[in-house]
Amino acid sequence: MQISSDRHEYPAHWEADVVLRDGGTARVRPITVDDAERLVSFYEQVSDESKYYRFFAPYPRLSAKDVHRFTHHDFVDRVGLAATVGGEFIATVRYDRIGPDGAPASSRPSPAGAPAPAVSDEAEVAFLVQDAHQGRGIASALLEHIAAVARERGIRRFAAEVLPANSKMIKVFTDAGYTQKRSFEDGVVRLELDLEPTDRSLAVQQAREQRAEARSVRRLLTPGSVAVIGVGRRPGGVGRSLLDNIRDGGFTGRLYAVNKAFPPEQKELDGPDGSDGGARVPAHRSVRDIDGQVDLAVVAVPAEQVPEVVAECGEHGVRGLVVTSAGYAEAGPEGRERQRALVRQARTYGMRIIGPNAFGVINTSPDVRLNASLAPEMPRPGRIGLFAQSGAIGIALLSRLHRRGGGVTGVTGVSTFVSSGNRADVSGNDVMQYWYDDPDTDVALMYLESIGNPRKFTRLARRTAAVKPLVVVQGARHGAGPRGHAVRATRLPHETVSALLRQAGVIRVDTITELVDAGLLLARQPLPAGPRVAIVGNSESLGLLTYEACLAEGLRPHHPLDLTTAASAADFHAALSRALADDTCDAVVVTAIPALGGRAAGSVGDAALAEALRSAAAATPSKPVLVVHVELGGLAEALSAAASTAPQTESSARPRPAPPTGESAAPPRPAPPAGERAPAAGPPPAPVLLPEDAHLIPAYPAAERAVRALAHSVTYAQWRRDAADPGRVPEYEDIDEKGAAGLIHAQLTRGQDLTLGTEETCELLGAYGIHVHRALPAPTPDAAAEAARTLGHPVALKVTAPHLRHRADLGGVRLDLANEEQLRRAYAELTQQLGTPEELRPVVQRMAPRGVDTIVRAVIDSAAGAVLSFGLAGPPSQLLGDMAHRLIPVTDREATSLVRSIRTAPLLFGWRGSTPVDTPALEELLLRVSRLVDDHPEVVAVSLEPVVVATHGVSVLSASVRLAPPPARDDLGPRTLPAY
């Protein structure tokens, strides 16, 4: 066990795994007295030039005094961190607290009787990176971590002296994004960095995070060589199936079969048919026996054998693992600990893991053609990225996107597919980072059974959705997620999390069918400019069903145009062309049924109709077109005769692949009988190319499915337009941020988690311009009368007992009491009907202007972050759950949309002839609450209920505030992987 060498215990919470610029990982941890030999070994592998840059003079070796100094730290004034791979140092960083004169300083208490000197908040920092690992972004990662440690220990500035020739290290400091000063004196560049995070430093950190995590996934999806470990000598079994699927899929790299049970003399594995011919695969007893680099290892051995395999892979320099083995966290506590050990072991060697209990990965790029999964068929290439935490759902998604006929029809291509299993390491967040700038993916579809880090997921989703659609369906919405998943606890209900995802631009759907329906439309068609929908078709009834479905989804449909069942392909072409040319139309739904007398599916008539629709749509490529078909399998195939799913626009940059004319998608192969090998399919034929102006039209078997997909597209398109101008967080001159901070600090000295009293609540809210109507206690009728005289009539008499609070329906409120007589009468009625004054805790409050009663709340959730909520008071929020939510900080545009996004919002805007209320004042109140919580994370909960919104102004009648130490925010700290 590592221990400290001085006055502080070993800070284990500083340990972290980080992803480096090249996609590999390293372990960051404090340096201790046990690291002397590691430090000496590390220093011996550093070049003389790097040593010179570090010490400004030739320094071939460390003295015993140096080693003692660099390994003995107090973890306050002297701190050293090391980046390790395989347990060995690859880089170090340290800081030493210094005083104004540059001499070493201490934060130790002064001796008794001595004056207490001011504690210095500056430290000198220095790095050393092994030459073989320079250029991997290690120094940048270490700077983030040592800065976080320094802030924790009260250090606010770093000073560094660097030789002018050491341009790499100067760049590390200048590119970090911190506020800095730079000077040159005595041949040395002196840099001073303010360690307070800035918008730029956070942006730099997040950009580095995206590049590193994307590259770590790219290494897993684009390997140049793959070893399948656990391959059986005979056909059958998971390992052999994985090997055959990689080989049959046409993998372009080197492939190896590994099994320690292979006879020593066996050098190759038979071809897929078991014969001596065909594609043979080199066979090895261990991955260490492979001559050359192995980029990816696919592990299919029993769980108890995995640690040995991981060690062999790490020692051989394997870059990443796909672990299909089961028996981990999904199997219970023992398996969960086994899973943690697996992740720790893999990260020790700088490897990332997909799995365990994973279904596998697929990359259809012609440069890779990797099917390292249990899917027997390689999907056709396309533009849709798939992520599934469940193998079974992954199979269903691949099957639906692969087949023709039934359900959503047509050939639909996939760019990449990842099934993460227990997602112990690589998660949906990592894959999203990869898809963000992947040129081969236009639409991302995700099936999630849990969200391990909602705060980060929301941040990444917002950025991804700004450039390409992200469609998500979440399983286990109303209960615990799968046992194999590590999930942060959240107090927020699923509906709130869903609302926050929608705010981030995520297209939230409820079923796998909706996921595929929306994905097809978003991949094949442009985004609509608005909700106006034209409906044309040859069935009045089907047109009316489509019309009603549009109304139900909040769209604005035109009345259907019935072409009658006698309509020809030319009639459809003309009608669709007119609809697309109409400036009052944003999208078109074409409904089609078989002509009277019927024609065989796939007949010339179907092909002619498909061509007519396609040619008409191609003439106006800026508007989406959908088809609702009934028993027209041939039409659906004809409409979708292309493997590409990229949205076609006038500026399409390159042609898309499509299967040969008339090719029909084969269903997935059934599993072969035990002991037998299914015939190898071989690589699919080379695709032909479509014309650049080819316009693909998705077809749906039901109006409701087509319209729901269109509604998702309309909502997403509006979000994209709004996201281009998100608004701003207003500044209010009357906000007293420092005064509020002082009050909060004074209150927290009384306790770590407390609800403020009435006076303190009013004072804190008042510092942010939020004024609460004064309420005076009324323990007796005489006290009530005196309170009324103080406040002035008319007044309200309320009970504040917890079981009656905000329950006007129980009669605990009396309003508009114009004089003392009415007040005393009301007091007597309340105490007679509901209980004694001691039980009721009555208060008197001056009457507020009449209006609409609302609720404003804010809460800091440890998983999702700070959330602002709004709704109408009473049954709408309590019974119907009609509340809207936004992440804090809220912009002015978000406050406006928050007020309008509840279902009962019309009550605020003059519903049925009522007088509209002052929604701008309500929006300002929301923004002030948002500022309070954002400025002071110690404010972990605020509740304003009720807030009466009148014709002019708002009145906060009751408020409560809870203070506590803020939850740790890993999004503001250094980059780290989830801890295990």
mmCIF file of all heavy atoms in Angstrom, residues 270-302:
data_model
loop_
_atom_site.group_PDB
_atom_site.id
_atom_site.type_symbol
_atom_site.label_atom_id
_atom_site.label_comp_id
_atom_site.label_asym_id
_atom_site.label_seq_id
_atom_site.Cartn_x
_atom_site.Cartn_y
_atom_site.Cartn_z
ATOM 1 N N ASP A 270 -7.667 -24.284 -40.863
ATOM 2 C CA ASP A 270 -8.285 -24.589 -42.145
ATOM 3 C C ASP A 270 -9.205 -23.476 -42.594
ATOM 4 O O ASP A 270 -9.679 -22.656 -41.806
ATOM 5 C CB ASP A 270 -9.085 -25.893 -42.049
ATOM 6 C CG ASP A 270 -8.174 -27.095 -41.864
ATOM 7 O OD1 ASP A 270 -6.975 -26.964 -42.173
ATOM 8 O OD2 ASP A 270 -8.659 -28.146 -41.398
ATOM 9 N N GLY A 271 -9.521 -23.490 -43.913
ATOM 10 C CA GLY A 271 -10.452 -22.523 -44.474
ATOM 11 C C GLY A 271 -11.839 -22.712 -43.924
ATOM 12 O O GLY A 271 -12.121 -23.645 -43.156
ATOM 13 N N PRO A 272 -12.774 -21.851 -44.327
ATOM 14 C CA PRO A 272 -14.122 -21.857 -43.754
ATOM 15 C C PRO A 272 -14.888 -23.140 -44.002
ATOM 16 O O PRO A 272 -15.778 -23.472 -43.235
ATOM 17 C CB PRO A 272 -14.800 -20.667 -44.445
ATOM 18 C CG PRO A 272 -13.992 -20.402 -45.671
ATOM 19 C CD PRO A 272 -12.600 -20.788 -45.330
ATOM 20 N N ASP A 273 -14.540 -23.871 -45.034
ATOM 21 C CA ASP A 273 -15.264 -25.113 -45.299
ATOM 22 C C ASP A 273 -14.560 -26.328 -44.726
ATOM 23 O O ASP A 273 -14.941 -27.468 -44.970
ATOM 24 C CB ASP A 273 -15.464 -25.296 -46.811
ATOM 25 C CG ASP A 273 -14.139 -25.285 -47.576
ATOM 26 O OD1 ASP A 273 -13.095 -25.094 -46.908
ATOM 27 O OD2 ASP A 273 -14.164 -25.466 -48.812
ATOM 28 N N GLY A 274 -13.481 -26.084 -43.969
ATOM 29 C CA GLY A 274 -12.776 -27.185 -43.341
ATOM 30 C C GLY A 274 -11.808 -27.889 -44.261
ATOM 31 O O GLY A 274 -11.138 -28.832 -43.850
ATOM 32 N N SER A 275 -11.678 -27.457 -45.498
ATOM 33 C CA SER A 275 -10.794 -28.108 -46.457
ATOM 34 C C SER A 275 -9.392 -27.544 -46.348
ATOM 35 O O SER A 275 -9.137 -26.575 -45.645
ATOM 36 C CB SER A 275 -11.326 -27.911 -47.880
ATOM 37 O OG SER A 275 -11.280 -26.537 -48.215
ATOM 38 N N ASP A 276 -8.496 -28.132 -47.125
ATOM 39 C CA ASP A 276 -7.127 -27.637 -47.117
ATOM 40 C C ASP A 276 -6.982 -26.359 -47.925
ATOM 41 O O ASP A 276 -6.012 -25.629 -47.776
ATOM 42 C CB ASP A 276 -6.177 -28.708 -47.694
ATOM 43 C CG ASP A 276 -6.068 -29.909 -46.753
ATOM 44 O OD1 ASP A 276 -6.319 -29.723 -45.554
ATOM 45 O OD2 ASP A 276 -5.749 -31.005 -47.245
ATOM 46 N N GLY A 277 -7.947 -26.095 -48.821
ATOM 47 C CA GLY A 277 -7.870 -24.879 -49.634
ATOM 48 C C GLY A 277 -8.578 -23.741 -48.964
ATOM 49 O O GLY A 277 -9.017 -23.810 -47.832
ATOM 50 N N GLY A 278 -8.747 -22.682 -49.718
ATOM 51 C CA GLY A 278 -9.480 -21.528 -49.208
ATOM 52 C C GLY A 278 -8.592 -20.642 -48.364
ATOM 53 O O GLY A 278 -7.370 -20.773 -48.323
ATOM 54 N N ALA A 279 -9.242 -19.719 -47.677
ATOM 55 C CA ALA A 279 -8.536 -18.707 -46.901
ATOM 56 C C ALA A 279 -8.098 -19.294 -45.574
ATOM 57 O O ALA A 279 -8.890 -19.432 -44.648
ATOM 58 C CB ALA A 279 -9.430 -17.495 -46.693
ATOM 59 N N ARG A 280 -6.842 -19.650 -45.482
ATOM 60 C CA ARG A 280 -6.304 -20.164 -44.230
ATOM 61 C C ARG A 280 -5.857 -19.005 -43.350
ATOM 62 O O ARG A 280 -5.483 -17.947 -43.844
ATOM 63 C CB ARG A 280 -5.138 -21.116 -44.494
ATOM 64 C CG ARG A 280 -5.583 -22.454 -45.090
ATOM 65 C CD ARG A 280 -4.397 -23.313 -45.478
ATOM 66 N NE ARG A 280 -4.810 -24.705 -45.589
ATOM 67 C CZ ARG A 280 -4.344 -25.685 -44.819
ATOM 68 N NH1 ARG A 280 -3.457 -25.418 -43.891
ATOM 69 N NH2 ARG A 280 -4.769 -26.922 -44.988
ATOM 70 N N VAL A 281 -5.866 -19.231 -42.055
ATOM 71 C CA VAL A 281 -5.522 -18.188 -41.082
ATOM 72 C C VAL A 281 -4.341 -18.671 -40.256
ATOM 73 O O VAL A 281 -4.357 -19.807 -39.758
ATOM 74 C CB VAL A 281 -6.719 -17.869 -40.170
ATOM 75 C CG1 VAL A 281 -6.324 -16.849 -39.105
ATOM 76 C CG2 VAL A 281 -7.887 -17.352 -40.980
ATOM 77 N N PRO A 282 -3.299 -17.847 -40.083
ATOM 78 C CA PRO A 282 -2.185 -18.235 -39.221
ATOM 79 C C PRO A 282 -2.679 -18.564 -37.814
ATOM 80 O O PRO A 282 -3.517 -17.848 -37.251
ATOM 81 C CB PRO A 282 -1.284 -17.000 -39.225
ATOM 82 C CG PRO A 282 -1.626 -16.278 -40.486
ATOM 83 C CD PRO A 282 -3.085 -16.538 -40.720
ATOM 84 N N ALA A 283 -2.172 -19.647 -37.252
ATOM 85 C CA ALA A 283 -2.606 -20.108 -35.925
ATOM 86 C C ALA A 283 -1.436 -20.027 -34.951
ATOM 87 O O ALA A 283 -0.293 -20.380 -35.297
ATOM 88 C CB ALA A 283 -3.136 -21.531 -36.007
ATOM 89 N N HIS A 284 -1.720 -19.567 -33.721
ATOM 90 C CA HIS A 284 -0.696 -19.415 -32.694
ATOM 91 C C HIS A 284 -1.259 -19.852 -31.351
ATOM 92 O O HIS A 284 -2.463 -19.723 -31.085
ATOM 93 C CB HIS A 284 -0.220 -17.971 -32.608
ATOM 94 C CG HIS A 284 0.359 -17.435 -33.878
ATOM 95 N ND1 HIS A 284 1.675 -17.602 -34.230
ATOM 96 C CD2 HIS A 284 -0.217 -16.747 -34.908
ATOM 97 C CE1 HIS A 284 1.899 -17.034 -35.401
ATOM 98 N NE2 HIS A 284 0.758 -16.504 -35.842
ATOM 99 N N ARG A 285 -0.370 -20.319 -30.488
ATOM 100 C CA ARG A 285 -0.801 -20.728 -29.151
ATOM 101 C C ARG A 285 -0.922 -19.530 -28.209
ATOM 102 O O ARG A 285 -1.623 -19.611 -27.205
ATOM 103 C CB ARG A 285 0.210 -21.743 -28.587
ATOM 104 C CG ARG A 285 0.168 -23.088 -29.290
ATOM 105 C CD ARG A 285 1.366 -23.943 -28.917
ATOM 106 N NE ARG A 285 1.487 -24.157 -27.501
ATOM 107 C CZ ARG A 285 0.871 -25.103 -26.789
ATOM 108 N NH1 ARG A 285 0.042 -25.930 -27.415
ATOM 109 N NH2 ARG A 285 1.066 -25.224 -25.498
ATOM 110 N N SER A 286 -0.256 -18.445 -28.508
ATOM 111 C CA SER A 286 -0.328 -17.242 -27.682
ATOM 112 C C SER A 286 -0.151 -16.037 -28.580
ATOM 113 O O SER A 286 0.532 -16.104 -29.615
ATOM 114 C CB SER A 286 0.762 -17.248 -26.603
ATOM 115 O OG SER A 286 0.864 -15.971 -25.981
ATOM 116 N N VAL A 287 -0.754 -14.929 -28.183
ATOM 117 C CA VAL A 287 -0.599 -13.707 -28.965
ATOM 118 C C VAL A 287 0.849 -13.243 -28.954
ATOM 119 O O VAL A 287 1.314 -12.560 -29.878
ATOM 120 C CB VAL A 287 -1.543 -12.614 -28.420
ATOM 121 C CG1 VAL A 287 -1.061 -12.081 -27.084
ATOM 122 C CG2 VAL A 287 -1.707 -11.466 -29.407
ATOM 123 N N ARG A 288 1.616 -13.665 -27.954
ATOM 124 C CA ARG A 288 3.028 -13.288 -27.892
ATOM 125 C C ARG A 288 3.848 -13.956 -28.981
ATOM 126 O O ARG A 288 4.946 -13.516 -29.306
ATOM 127 C CB ARG A 288 3.598 -13.642 -26.519
ATOM 128 C CG ARG A 288 3.127 -12.724 -25.413
ATOM 129 C CD ARG A 288 3.700 -13.076 -24.074
ATOM 130 N NE ARG A 288 3.264 -14.383 -23.613
ATOM 131 C CZ ARG A 288 3.299 -14.775 -22.335
ATOM 132 N NH1 ARG A 288 3.743 -13.943 -21.418
ATOM 133 N NH2 ARG A 288 2.889 -15.973 -21.997
ATOM 134 N N ASP A 289 3.302 -15.039 -29.555
ATOM 135 C CA ASP A 289 4.018 -15.758 -30.611
ATOM 136 C C ASP A 289 3.840 -15.106 -31.981
ATOM 137 O O ASP A 289 4.480 -15.515 -32.953
ATOM 138 C CB ASP A 289 3.529 -17.207 -30.687
ATOM 139 C CG ASP A 289 3.784 -17.966 -29.388
ATOM 140 O OD1 ASP A 289 4.736 -17.594 -28.668
ATOM 141 O OD2 ASP A 289 3.029 -18.929 -29.098
ATOM 142 N N ILE A 290 2.947 -14.121 -32.075
ATOM 143 C CA ILE A 290 2.686 -13.468 -33.356
ATOM 144 C C ILE A 290 3.830 -12.518 -33.668
ATOM 145 O O ILE A 290 4.232 -11.705 -32.832
ATOM 146 C CB ILE A 290 1.350 -12.702 -33.324
ATOM 147 C CG1 ILE A 290 0.186 -13.683 -33.098
ATOM 148 C CG2 ILE A 290 1.134 -11.916 -34.612
ATOM 149 C CD1 ILE A 290 -1.156 -13.013 -32.905
ATOM 150 N N ASP A 291 4.368 -12.653 -34.876
ATOM 151 C CA ASP A 291 5.468 -11.803 -35.302
ATOM 152 C C ASP A 291 4.901 -10.544 -35.940
ATOM 153 O O ASP A 291 4.447 -10.556 -37.081
ATOM 154 C CB ASP A 291 6.346 -12.555 -36.308
ATOM 155 C CG ASP A 291 7.584 -11.755 -36.692
ATOM 156 O OD1 ASP A 291 7.885 -10.779 -35.973
ATOM 157 O OD2 ASP A 291 8.223 -12.102 -37.704
ATOM 158 N N GLY A 292 4.879 -9.463 -35.206
ATOM 159 C CA GLY A 292 4.344 -8.212 -35.719
ATOM 160 C C GLY A 292 3.300 -7.615 -34.800
ATOM 161 O O GLY A 292 2.872 -8.225 -33.810
ATOM 162 N N GLN A 293 2.872 -6.409 -35.143
ATOM 163 C CA GLN A 293 1.908 -5.664 -34.345
ATOM 164 C C GLN A 293 0.521 -6.298 -34.433
ATOM 165 O O GLN A 293 0.081 -6.710 -35.499
ATOM 166 C CB GLN A 293 1.836 -4.214 -34.829
ATOM 167 C CG GLN A 293 0.779 -3.364 -34.165
ATOM 168 C CD GLN A 293 1.075 -3.096 -32.701
ATOM 169 O OE1 GLN A 293 2.211 -2.826 -32.329
ATOM 170 N NE2 GLN A 293 0.067 -3.189 -31.864
ATOM 171 N N VAL A 294 -0.167 -6.357 -33.300
ATOM 172 C CA VAL A 294 -1.577 -6.734 -33.252
ATOM 173 C C VAL A 294 -2.338 -5.522 -32.721
ATOM 174 O O VAL A 294 -2.109 -5.081 -31.599
ATOM 175 C CB VAL A 294 -1.823 -7.955 -32.354
ATOM 176 C CG1 VAL A 294 -3.318 -8.242 -32.240
ATOM 177 C CG2 VAL A 294 -1.089 -9.172 -32.898
ATOM 178 N N ASP A 295 -3.223 -4.980 -33.552
ATOM 179 C CA ASP A 295 -3.947 -3.768 -33.166
ATOM 180 C C ASP A 295 -5.152 -4.071 -32.285
ATOM 181 O O ASP A 295 -5.456 -3.314 -31.361
ATOM 182 C CB ASP A 295 -4.413 -3.019 -34.413
ATOM 183 C CG ASP A 295 -3.248 -2.510 -35.242
ATOM 184 O OD1 ASP A 295 -2.224 -2.128 -34.638
ATOM 185 O OD2 ASP A 295 -3.358 -2.509 -36.476
ATOM 186 N N LEU A 296 -5.857 -5.165 -32.580
ATOM 187 C CA LEU A 296 -7.099 -5.486 -31.865
ATOM 188 C C LEU A 296 -7.122 -6.963 -31.526
ATOM 189 O O LEU A 296 -6.852 -7.809 -32.394
ATOM 190 C CB LEU A 296 -8.318 -5.141 -32.731
ATOM 191 C CG LEU A 296 -9.688 -5.481 -32.143
ATOM 192 C CD1 LEU A 296 -9.980 -4.603 -30.922
ATOM 193 C CD2 LEU A 296 -10.785 -5.311 -33.196
ATOM 194 N N ALA A 297 -7.448 -7.273 -30.289
ATOM 195 C CA ALA A 297 -7.643 -8.658 -29.867
ATOM 196 C C ALA A 297 -9.113 -8.857 -29.523
ATOM 197 O O ALA A 297 -9.680 -8.093 -28.740
ATOM 198 C CB ALA A 297 -6.771 -8.995 -28.664
ATOM 199 N N VAL A 298 -9.730 -9.856 -30.137
ATOM 200 C CA VAL A 298 -11.111 -10.225 -29.842
ATOM 201 C C VAL A 298 -11.054 -11.445 -28.936
ATOM 202 O O VAL A 298 -10.578 -12.514 -29.340
ATOM 203 C CB VAL A 298 -11.900 -10.536 -31.132
ATOM 204 C CG1 VAL A 298 -13.339 -10.863 -30.798
ATOM 205 C CG2 VAL A 298 -11.839 -9.344 -32.088
ATOM 206 N N VAL A 299 -11.498 -11.284 -27.703
ATOM 207 C CA VAL A 299 -11.294 -12.286 -26.656
ATOM 208 C C VAL A 299 -12.568 -13.092 -26.465
ATOM 209 O O VAL A 299 -13.631 -12.523 -26.154
ATOM 210 C CB VAL A 299 -10.867 -11.613 -25.339
ATOM 211 C CG1 VAL A 299 -10.625 -12.657 -24.262
ATOM 212 C CG2 VAL A 299 -9.614 -10.764 -25.562
ATOM 213 N N ALA A 300 -12.463 -14.407 -26.645
ATOM 214 C CA ALA A 300 -13.616 -15.299 -26.492
ATOM 215 C C ALA A 300 -13.200 -16.526 -25.703
ATOM 216 O O ALA A 300 -13.326 -17.664 -26.161
ATOM 217 C CB ALA A 300 -14.174 -15.693 -27.857
ATOM 218 N N VAL A 301 -12.673 -16.304 -24.504
ATOM 219 C CA VAL A 301 -12.285 -17.395 -23.615
ATOM 220 C C VAL A 301 -13.100 -17.274 -22.335
ATOM 221 O O VAL A 301 -13.663 -16.217 -22.044
ATOM 222 C CB VAL A 301 -10.775 -17.337 -23.296
ATOM 223 C CG1 VAL A 301 -9.952 -17.434 -24.578
ATOM 224 C CG2 VAL A 301 -10.420 -16.060 -22.542
ATOM 225 N N PRO A 302 -13.196 -18.318 -21.531
ATOM 226 C CA PRO A 302 -13.921 -18.216 -20.253
ATOM 227 C C PRO A 302 -13.358 -17.101 -19.390
ATOM 228 O O PRO A 302 -12.169 -16.759 -19.464
ATOM 229 C CB PRO A 302 -13.698 -19.594 -19.621
ATOM 230 C CG PRO A 302 -13.467 -20.511 -20.774
ATOM 231 C CD PRO A 302 -12.722 -19.695 -21.793
#
